[in-house]
């Protein structure tokens, strides 16, 4: 594992961001549990995404659908037949690997040469059974993507929300894929969260028509990465997936690649799905899924562009991109609006009741709005360092002067600058800093 990855994984465990899943029982291959700080970071990313793409737009509505759907959904979508990876097994150590990830005929686990079985097709969907009997008639699947529920509920949303093409449907939720070789911490896991949009528009008369819509979403994704996540845009590039590697439903796919420590890998995806999904579900269900233009009366199956964002990979990239070491100390320079803890409140001395009481009063007032901690342990320098490690953007210190002038010292994580602020103006001061949409400097 890369040195930076090792440091981030260690920090995540030590400071309560992310723990190995089922650890007291020896763990479970590449499963991870989000701890108190990790779940705050994760929720902040999801809330920022929802605010940008749903709350702040008039043309996108939300959905939260069931994890387990009628298995006919996955037959119609092509997942039962096509959602597969090529698999090879080592005859010596019995390790199983994706055939397209093997560089040669040498086993990555035991080093044996020319010991692989013939390539097999492996379906990535997790299978389960509905009801008490494990019979073929009761087979169901945990969804491998959130998108299909959007297509299945397309007609319901048309009938109830008075939406007009072009419009989008957004969903944030869990998906499950039985990956052959998960790895690289949160990058490739079997249980993960997606943030997806299916954006419906009038069938294009020429390629140039859908290309314009596609380019708008390319810009939207880049803006999300830079402005909402606060990441370095120089670490992001585009890769157009060739025909042979595209998903069966896609007419064009762009992967947004991020410079991870283990190489340049896919961060997000953008696909032009045409009318494949609505057409397939219309044919399979026998239901009319066409949109009727209220002005012309024309009926048609809209085409779709799908921006797909991984929550877990977003968390990973934020942690990696924000990790810095200065004078032997760790600092997470997370965008302030995403930080798990927004403010830490310190009494200068823990054995002075007047300071502790005032600090607690400020803490209780601020936590009505933000995630805030009250820390009385150790010296101020140590408390600053502890908050820097978890990315807290603002530290508020109550000192003896505070008892006289009713002001506190606010320290900025990234610049180290300290300002005296009136206590009754503290909430506005912090909110203005957060609203400034400040990226790292």
């Amino acid at each position: 594992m890369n040195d930076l990855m090792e440091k981030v994984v260690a920090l995540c465990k030590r400071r309560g961001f992310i723990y190995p899943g089922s650890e007291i029982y020896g763990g479970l291959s590449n499963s991870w549990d989000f701890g108190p700080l990790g779940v705050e970071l994760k929720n902040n990313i999801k809330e920022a995404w929802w605010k940008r793409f749903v709350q702040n737009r008039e043309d996108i509505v939300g959905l939260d659908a069931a994890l387990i759907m009628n298995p006919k959904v996955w037959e119609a979508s092509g997942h039962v037949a096509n959602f597969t990876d090529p698999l090879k097994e080592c005859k010596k150590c019995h390790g199983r690997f994706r055939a397209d990830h093997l560089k040669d005929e040498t086993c990555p686990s035991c080093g044996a040469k020319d010991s692989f079985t013939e390539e097999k097709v492996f379906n990535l969907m997790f299978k389960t059974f509905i009801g008490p009997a494990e019979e073929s008639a009761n087979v169901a699947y945990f969804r491998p993507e959130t998108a299909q529920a959007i297509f299945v509920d397309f007609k319901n949303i048309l009938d109830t929300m008075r939406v007009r093409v072009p419009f989008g449907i957004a969903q944030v939720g869990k998906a499950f894929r039985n990956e052959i070789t998960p790895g690289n911490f949160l990058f490739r896991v079997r249980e993960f969260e997606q943030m997806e949009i299916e954006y419906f528009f009038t069938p294009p008369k020429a390629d140039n028509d859908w290309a314009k819509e596609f380019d708008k979403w390319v810009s939207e994704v880049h803006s999300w990465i830079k402005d909402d996540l606060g990441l370095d845009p120089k670490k992001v590039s585009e890769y157009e997936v060739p025909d042979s590697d595209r998903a069966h439903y896609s007419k064009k796919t762009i992967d947004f690649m991020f410079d991870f420590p283990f190489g340049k890998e896919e961060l997000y995806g953008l696909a032009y799905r045409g009318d494949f999904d609505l057409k397939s579900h219309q044919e399979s269900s026998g239901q009319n899924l066409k949109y009727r233009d209220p002005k012309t009366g024309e009926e048609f199956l809209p085409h779709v562009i799908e921006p797909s964002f991984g929550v877990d990979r977003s968390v990973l990239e934020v942690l990696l991109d924000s990790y810095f070491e200065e004078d032997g100390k760790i600092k997470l320079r997370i965008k302030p609006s995403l930080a798990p803890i927004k403010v830490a409140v310190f009494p200068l001395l823990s054995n002075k009741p007047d300071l502790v009481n005032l600090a607690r009063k400020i803490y209780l007032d601020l936590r009505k709005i933000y995630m805030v901690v009250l820390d009385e342990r150790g010296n101020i320098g140590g408390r600053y360092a502890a908050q820097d490690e978890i990315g807290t953007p603002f530290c508020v210190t109550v000192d003896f002067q505070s008892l006289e002038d009713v002001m506190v010292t606010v320290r900025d994580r990234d610049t180290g600058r300290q300002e005296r602020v009136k206590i009754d103006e503290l909430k506005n001061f912090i909110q203005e800093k957060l609203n400034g949409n400040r990226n790292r400097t």
Side-chain angles (χ1 to χ4, degrees):
M1 187 182 291
N2 177 277
D3 184 51
L4 175 58
M5 281 287 286
E6 289 181 350
K7 291 179 177 179
V8 168
V9 171
L11 176 68
C12 285
K13 171 70 184 299
R14 180 168 56 83
R15 295 308 309 269
F17 280 90
I18 300 161
Y19 310 126
S22 311
E23 187 175 23
I24 65 171
Y25 289 102
L28 179 66
S29 176
N30 220 60
S31 69
W32 304 95
D33 297 336
F34 284 80
L37 296 183
V39 75
E40 291 297 329
L41 175 58
K42 189 177 187 181
N43 284 342
N44 290 342
I45 289 173
K46 291 191 289 186
E47 288 171 8
W49 186 88
W50 196 264
K51 184 174 182 179
R52 178 186 183 92
F53 292 110
V54 181
Q55 182 178 335
N56 288 348
R57 294 182 62 131
E58 297 179 356
D59 60 341
I60 297 181
V61 297
L63 179 70
D64 185 7
L67 293 174
I68 299 177
M69 304 174 70
N70 189 311
K72 292 180 181 179
V73 170
W74 307 111
E75 295 172 8
S77 68
H79 282 78
V80 172
N82 299 312
F83 198 63
T84 60
D85 274 341
L87 168 69
K88 284 189 176 183
E89 181 175 338
C90 176
K91 297 176 183 176
K92 185 175 181 180
C93 70
H94 300 291
R96 293 178 176 179
F97 310 93
R98 277 184 58 170
D100 56 335
H101 285 184
L102 295 171
K103 296 180 179 179
D104 52 36
E105 289 299 308
T106 302
C107 177
S109 293
C110 67
K113 295 182 179 296
D114 300 318
S115 64
F116 289 115
T117 60
E118 291 295 319
E119 185 176 304
K120 299 178 181 178
V121 174
F122 176 76
N123 195 289
L124 298 176
M125 288 196 294
F126 275 103
K127 183 185 294 186
T128 188
F129 297 89
I130 302 295
E134 295 189 4
E135 301 173 348
S136 58
N138 298 331
V139 167
Y141 303 94
F142 285 98
R143 66 184 184 195
E145 64 176 29
T146 61
Q148 292 308 313
I150 294 176
F151 298 118
V152 171
D153 276 320
F154 176 75
K155 186 175 187 300
N156 283 330
I157 289 175
L158 280 185
D159 293 343
T160 59
M161 298 307 297
R162 297 182 179 180
V163 287
R164 293 189 179 186
V165 168
F167 76 95
I169 303 173
Q171 181 169 207
V172 177
K174 290 271 191 177
F176 303 82
R177 295 179 185 178
N178 196 8
E179 297 281 359
I180 297 170
T181 52
N184 286 322
F185 196 26
L186 297 177
F187 179 77
R188 194 178 301 281
V189 290
R190 294 187 172 100
E191 176 186 347
F192 54 95
E193 273 192 281
Q194 291 180 307
M195 306 178 290
E196 290 192 317
I197 298 168
E198 306 303 325
Y199 197 79
F200 301 93
F201 58 99
T202 304
K205 296 179 180 178
D207 285 347
N208 189 48
D209 294 337
W210 68 259
K212 289 179 181 178
E213 197 65 50
F214 195 92
D215 289 342
K216 289 179 185 177
W217 279 104
V218 170
S219 298
E220 284 286 342
V221 175
H222 279 296
S223 181
W224 157 257
I225 292 169
K226 179 177 180 294
D227 298 333
D228 294 81
L229 295 185
L231 301 183
D232 182 357
K234 294 179 182 178
K235 295 182 180 179
V236 180
S237 57
E238 296 175 20
Y239 169 71
E240 183 165 348
V241 179
D243 294 355
S244 58
D245 293 336
R246 283 203 307 264
H248 62 276
Y249 53 73
S250 176
K251 293 187 176 181
K252 179 177 181 177
T253 298
I254 284 180
D255 287 343
F256 295 83
M257 312 294 281
F258 185 76
D259 291 338
F260 290 97
F262 45 86
K264 194 184 293 289
E265 294 286 352
E266 179 189 354
L267 174 58
Y268 302 135
L270 181 65
Y272 171 41
R273 301 178 75 124
D275 62 359
F276 172 84
D277 300 275
L278 289 178
K279 182 184 290 185
S280 296
H281 288 301
Q282 180 171 267
E283 292 173 354
S284 182
S285 68
Q287 299 292 315
N288 181 7
L289 301 183
K290 291 181 179 180
Y291 171 83
R292 182 182 179 86
D293 190 302
K295 293 182 178 180
T296 66
E298 179 187 4
E299 289 190 346
F300 56 83
L301 290 173
H303 282 217
V304 174
I305 287 175
E306 175 193 75
S308 181
F309 308 76
V311 178
D312 306 78
R313 290 188 185 184
S314 297
V315 171
L316 177 58
E317 72 194 13
V318 166
L319 290 170
L320 289 169
D321 196 49
S322 64
Y323 184 97
F324 289 86
E325 293 183 5
E326 297 176 356
D327 300 323
K329 296 180 179 179
I330 297 170
K331 181 179 288 188
L332 284 185
R333 300 177 70 180
I334 299 172
K335 185 177 175 66
S337 59
L338 299 180
I341 305 297
K342 299 295 187 290
V343 185
V345 182
F346 308 147
L348 183 63
L349 298 173
S350 61
N351 61 352
K352 298 298 180 181
D354 289 348
L355 298 183
V356 174
N357 291 338
L358 180 55
R360 173 163 283 278
K361 181 179 178 182
I362 294 170
Y363 158 73
L364 291 174
D365 190 39
L366 289 177
R367 79 173 187 178
K368 296 174 184 176
I369 307 172
Y370 311 110
M371 287 300 298
V372 185
V373 295
L374 176 67
D375 191 354
E376 307 172 21
R377 302 165 299 171
N379 60 52
I380 287 293
R383 283 181 262 176
Y384 282 155
Q387 295 303 317
D388 285 347
E389 275 196 339
I390 63 173
T392 304
F394 307 110
C395 292
V396 174
T397 301
V398 176
D399 53 27
F400 290 105
Q401 189 178 347
S402 302
L403 301 176
E404 299 176 6
D405 62 10
V406 199
M407 300 180 75
V408 290
T409 300
V410 181
R411 179 224 187 219
D412 183 282
R413 177 198 67 202
D414 295 337
T415 65
R417 181 183 176 188
Q418 298 188 13
E419 298 181 59
R420 294 291 289 181
V421 179
K422 292 181 180 180
I423 293 175
D424 61 1
E425 296 178 0
L426 187 56
K427 283 188 283 190
N428 288 338
F429 176 85
I430 292 169
Q431 193 59 49
E432 285 178 7
K433 293 284 188 181
L434 293 172
N435 289 345
N437 202 29
R438 187 187 71 186
N439 291 316
R440 293 195 316 268
T441 55

